[in-house]
Amino acid sequence: MMGAVSRFWAMLVKEFIQLKRDRVTLTTMITVPLMQLFLFTYAINTNPKHLPTAVLVQESSDAGRSILAAMRNSDYFDIRHVVADEAEFDRLLQSGEVLFAIEIPANFERSLRRGETPALLVAADATDPIAAGSAMSALNAFITSALTRDRFIPGSSEATTFELRAHPRYNPAGSSQLNIVPGLLGTILTMTMLIYTSLSVTRELERGTMESLLAMPIGPVEIMLGKIAPYLLVGLLQTAAIIAAGYYIFGVPMLGSLTLLAIMSFFFIAANLSIGYSFSTVAQNQLQSMQMAIMFIMPNIIISGFAFPFSGMPNWAQWLGQCLPLTHYIRIVRSIMLKGAGWDDMRVEGLWLVGLMLFAMLVAVRRFRQTLD
Amino acid sequence: MTSTAQVNGDVVIDVRGLTKSFGGRAVVNNLSMQVRRGQIYGFLGPNGSGKTTTIRMLCGLLTPDSGEGTCLGFDIRKQSKSIKRRVGYMTQRFSLYTDLSIRENLEFVGRVFSVPDPRGAAQAAIQRLGLSGRENQLAGELSGGWKQRLALGACTMPSPELLLLDEPTAGVDPKARREFWNEIHALAADGLTVLVSTHYMDEAERCHEIAYIAYGELLTHGTVEEVVKSAGLTTWRVTGAKLQSLSIALAATPGVEMVAPFGASLHVGGRDAKALEAAISGYRSDPSLKWTPDEASLEDVFISLMSSAQDNFQ
């Protein structure tokens, strides 16, 4: 047992020194995650500007004009068409000429004055649910303040005076910009962790150091753990940097336990490192392992629930998504940071992470070639 | 397998019928060998003769297709982990970490072998190697001779019982080679067994015993004297004019198995003394040539072994 610890330690120290000497990798480890965080958080703007919009006006009223003026004054909406014909309105949306459409129904102003809570029908292009979602919430605020200012509705009243009713044909996605930082955290970690370990075994093979390593009394488990351990620390540091930037710069709240998040992040990082390492045991050279890593990263971005809503995917894609650590980690981070989820809530997702980690490790140890045959 | 070790007493390597093929080609074919404790055993043979493959099979890096045997009393098929703990293997190509310093490489080896005090052991090895003051230099920046010394130091640091050295002196200058061999003799005097593969004849003569391998087959083995004697090679030395054309003519004559230029003279040899004498008789009357009977050298023996093995092989 002592021998195993010593051999694991040998590997860990060696990997650390090699990491320390590789200035380029070391620099990218710190700068790339932060760069990606800033780039994507600012690039993926969920507060869309100048959304092409059509308005269907079915009554000519002051309230309607007030709403139109409010929308014109905001830079969220770019009112391209004001129509009175419902068929034309549908066509504009269908063709993609506008991404957003709002319908002011007949008798809106009268119902509003009577306090009947009339509905404004809103239709958004379902292909951009995140944009539509935030436009919806922005719209509510604009119209409320416009109608209050023009005294159609009482300003101080808590009661709802009108309703924004999403058109049933379209997806009224309720997405928050706060989702992006947690999602990015997981995506950035997946990419960086996977690439570090996916090269580790093939690098020894290509440099010729594998021959003498295999001739020494060190086993596959000790080699694997020794190679993964240094990057666990790197991953946790990256996590800390991204969460700190999210909290202080992007104002993402941290409602849950930081310890819980750290533990879950540990398993997530370990799972990705193990997957990368298992690629490294399968691939013949560094190029192959890089290709495998990139092929694995693609579905992580597409079907993990990061870029597109998980619940919107067909069943088979959801099942595939369950096999990706990122799917579970995104849920975990969103739950802990935004909803303040506790230990009990994390049981299932946490087990998934541990399970996926152990599975990847098992594959790696079994695939590791202990001879040069 | 302890019984094998007891029966053989001080036999460290005892393998029979080792065979290994790559892509349908037998690289090592039915090879048997025995090496006694404390010996320096030279492993000779041309490039691609199977020396490296044999060494790799001995330390568990390759699994033989057939054949069996023990290394340090452990089964080479089933107990490779026990073998690895007691064997120092120096690869043909430098295989320490070039981006680690001398000290870090040695400490790594110390920890992998669970040496009680890896730092202390590394420091001691650095002093023994004469590398004090350079311990923080990266291994990749060392010259060929120093790389080889460091590699040997890394192999011997965990106090192995057997050293497997695969062409350790290839590309190293004569002075470094001499120092290297002095070191190996000192290690063997302490009871360490050394199996060393080489191309150099002068190195073969520094071994207690040698084996010659060509095309995967062990052709001969024993002490240098035994090998030369058992070859039964009769040799003549010729000096004189136009040796080059003589060499070509002789090589085509039946009975002559070996013709090799040797400085200003030519070595001519064959295992059948009578046939050789008949072959050269026509040239002996040539007044411009001077023929003298000579002792066969190890190199003569190997060249004749290799050419006859090639004949058998093709």
Side-chain angles (χ1 to χ4, degrees):
Chain A
M1 197 55 216
M2 274 310 292
V5 172
S6 165
R7 292 190 290 272
F8 156 73
W9 185 248
M11 208 64 201
L12 181 143
V13 171
K14 187 215 88 173
E15 291 287 322
F16 250 127
I17 297 169
Q18 290 185 308
L19 181 59
K20 190 181 78 187
R21 273 214 183 118
D22 190 350
R23 298 275 159 178
V24 177
T25 308
L26 200 64
T27 319
T28 54
M29 271 173 187
I30 309 301
T31 53
V32 168
L34 287 176
M35 223 173 65
Q36 287 177 328
L37 181 73
F38 285 101
L39 184 71
F40 296 147
T41 312
Y42 287 124
I44 305 175
N45 195 346
T46 53
N47 286 336
K49 308 279 160 150
H50 309 294
L51 211 57
T53 303
V55 182
L56 174 66
V57 185
Q58 291 187 317
E59 68 162 19
S60 182
S61 65
D62 290 339
R65 278 185 287 275
S66 172
I67 289 170
L68 267 176
M71 286 177 74
R72 283 208 167 99
N73 285 336
S74 86
D75 50 4
Y76 272 79
F77 305 99
D78 184 1
I79 297 179
R80 301 262 173 93
H81 304 273
V82 178
V83 294
D85 175 31
E86 203 161 343
E88 171 70 2
F89 179 70
D90 280 348
R91 191 197 62 78
L92 285 170
L93 201 58
Q94 208 95 61
S95 66
E97 224 171 291
V98 296
L99 288 175
F100 202 79
I102 181 165
E103 179 185 347
I104 301 168
N107 300 324
F108 178 76
E109 188 179 316
R110 199 175 64 193
S111 303
L112 197 65
R113 289 195 193 282
R114 285 182 185 171
E116 283 174 356
T117 324
L120 284 169
L121 288 179
V122 177
D125 192 318
T127 54
D128 195 353
I130 301 171
S134 51
M136 285 272 278
S137 50
L139 191 62
N140 200 350
F142 286 138
I143 294 177
T144 307
S145 69
L147 293 179
T148 309
R149 191 187 62 227
D150 296 339
R151 303 221 163 68
F152 291 105
I153 51 172
S156 57
S157 168
E158 287 287 300
T160 48
T161 50
F162 70 96
E163 179 189 359
L164 280 179
R165 190 181 298 157
H167 201 292
R169 277 182 305 172
Y170 300 102
N171 175 20
S175 191
S176 161
Q177 61 166 2
L178 300 180
N179 273 340
I180 286 188
V181 171
L184 270 181
L185 168 62
T187 312
I188 292 170
L189 281 176
T190 301
M191 286 200 269
T192 48
M193 295 298 108
L194 215 60
I195 284 169
Y196 298 148
T197 44
S198 67
L199 298 177
S200 61
V201 173
T202 41
R203 185 166 45 210
E204 301 249 4
L205 274 175
E206 286 188 6
R207 288 189 187 173
T209 50
M210 193 51 115
E211 192 181 351
S212 80
L213 188 62
L214 289 180
M216 289 190 224
I218 187 164
V221 176
E222 294 147 5
I223 293 176
M224 175 179 72
L225 295 179
K227 278 182 171 292
I228 285 178
Y231 295 104
L232 263 175
L233 190 70
V234 172
L236 286 172
L237 287 175
Q238 287 186 348
T239 311
I242 293 172
I243 289 177
Y247 185 82
Y248 289 109
I249 297 169
F250 299 109
V252 179
M254 181 67 216
L255 299 179
S257 153
L258 210 52
T259 318
L260 180 60
L261 184 59
I263 291 170
M264 289 296 158
S265 301
F266 178 89
F267 287 123
F268 172 68
I269 293 164
N272 277 311
L273 289 172
S274 311
I275 291 170
Y277 183 81
S278 70
F279 290 166
S280 178
T281 57
V282 175
Q284 308 280 334
N285 54 49
Q286 297 198 38
L287 185 67
Q288 277 185 13
S289 31
M290 278 303 284
Q291 286 169 337
M292 291 168 80
I294 288 165
M295 282 195 289
F296 181 75
I297 287 168
M298 270 305 283
N300 266 291
I301 291 169
I302 308 293
I303 62 172
S304 64
F306 168 60
F308 305 104
F310 196 78
S311 51
M313 300 192 308
N315 274 337
W316 62 265
Q318 292 199 8
W319 273 107
L320 214 59
Q322 297 280 14
C323 302
L324 304 173
L326 183 59
T327 304
H328 304 282
Y329 188 61
I330 285 178
R331 291 178 196 161
I332 288 170
V333 179
R334 283 177 180 167
S335 303
I336 294 178
M337 290 184 81
L338 307 179
K339 296 187 217 157
W343 295 81
D344 284 347
D345 306 312
M346 291 296 103
R347 215 173 279 155
V348 175
E349 305 292 355
L351 276 177
W352 265 104
L353 285 185
V354 175
L356 290 170
M357 175 189 79
L358 291 177
F359 177 73
M361 285 183 167
L362 191 72
V363 171
V365 169
R366 292 190 66 102
R367 284 289 320 196
F368 187 83
R369 289 179 291 269
Q370 288 192 72
T371 63
L372 299 169
D373 283 302
Chain B
M1 279 302 126
T2 44
S3 59
T4 317
Q6 279 158 7
V7 169
N8 291 324
D10 60 351
V11 172
V12 170
I13 298 173
D14 184 9
V15 289
R16 290 168 300 278
L18 287 190
T19 299
K20 181 80 187 172
S21 305
F22 290 112
R25 197 173 71 87
V27 175
V28 173
N29 193 12
N30 197 22
L31 184 137
S32 304
M33 65 186 287
Q34 288 199 327
V35 178
R36 279 178 291 132
R37 190 175 296 278
Q39 269 199 327
I40 300 175
Y41 197 90
F43 215 35
L44 289 104
N47 290 327
S49 56
K51 302 190 294 287
T52 300
T53 305
T54 306
I55 290 176
R56 284 177 174 174
M57 282 194 277
L58 291 175
C59 64
L61 274 179
L62 287 174
T63 321
D65 295 338
S66 63
E68 48 167 24
T70 59
C71 187
L72 296 165
F74 297 100
D75 191 311
I76 58 163
R77 286 177 177 278
K78 296 177 200 132
Q79 295 172 295
S80 65
K81 189 140 195 192
S82 301
I83 295 173
K84 286 175 184 175
R85 266 192 214 119
R86 294 164 178 84
V87 169
Y89 172 41
M90 184 171 160
T91 54
Q92 198 170 336
R93 181 179 157 192
F94 184 70
S95 60
L96 293 176
Y97 296 98
T98 51
D99 52 348
L100 255 55
S101 73
I102 292 167
R103 181 211 300 280
E104 288 156 354
N105 265 304
L106 291 170
E107 285 178 1
F108 172 71
V109 174
R111 290 192 189 103
V112 169
F113 279 88
S114 310
V115 167
D117 172 21
R119 278 167 189 273
Q123 193 54 47
I126 287 164
Q127 269 173 6
R128 201 174 53 245
L129 290 167
L131 280 165
S132 301
R134 300 173 65 179
E135 55 263 54
N136 293 324
Q137 199 175 341
L138 293 187
E141 294 170 356
L142 293 173
S143 69
W146 281 109
K147 272 186 183 154
Q148 167 242 42
R149 291 201 69 150
L150 175 61
L152 181 68
C155 288
T156 52
M157 199 181 74
S159 332
E161 294 171 45
L162 170 67
L163 270 187
L164 301 174
L165 311 175
D166 194 0
E167 289 183 25
T169 55
V172 170
D173 69 56
K175 182 169 171 284
R177 279 211 292 149
R178 175 155 294 189
E179 283 166 3
F180 188 81
W181 275 91
N182 289 343
E183 174 90 19
I184 289 181
H185 271 275
L187 290 166
D190 292 340
L192 192 66
T193 313
V194 183
L195 176 72
V196 52
S197 75
T198 179
H199 287 303
Y200 300 115
M201 291 305 138
D202 61 316
E203 290 189 349
E205 297 190 9
R206 287 165 171 266
C207 296
H208 298 132
E209 251 187 70
I210 54 170
Y212 190 80
I213 176 173
Y215 304 102
E217 313 239 7
L218 196 103
L219 298 179
T220 181
H221 67 97
T223 62
V224 172
E225 292 75 33
E226 282 168 1
V227 167
V228 172
K229 211 171 152 195
S230 69
L233 202 65
T234 308
T235 30
W236 290 84
R237 175 201 286 262
V238 204
T239 49
K242 288 179 272 176
L243 288 178
Q244 180 59 28
S245 52
L246 177 67
S247 160
I248 295 165
L250 281 173
T253 314
V256 176
E257 288 174 352
M258 183 231 34
V259 184
F262 223 81
S265 62
L266 210 58
H267 269 204
V268 184
R271 271 169 294 184
D272 189 335
K274 285 213 172 86
L276 182 65
E277 219 151 320
I280 64 171
S281 59
Y283 302 98
R284 288 188 68 182
S285 50
D286 188 333
S288 69
L289 298 172
K290 185 166 175 268
W291 291 81
T292 41
D294 198 6
E295 296 262 308
S297 72
L298 194 58
E299 188 163 330
D300 296 335
V301 172
F302 286 154
I303 290 170
S304 97
L305 274 174
M306 204 163 95
S307 48
S308 53
Q310 196 166 13
D311 295 342
N312 291 342
F313 187 76
Q314 282 165 346

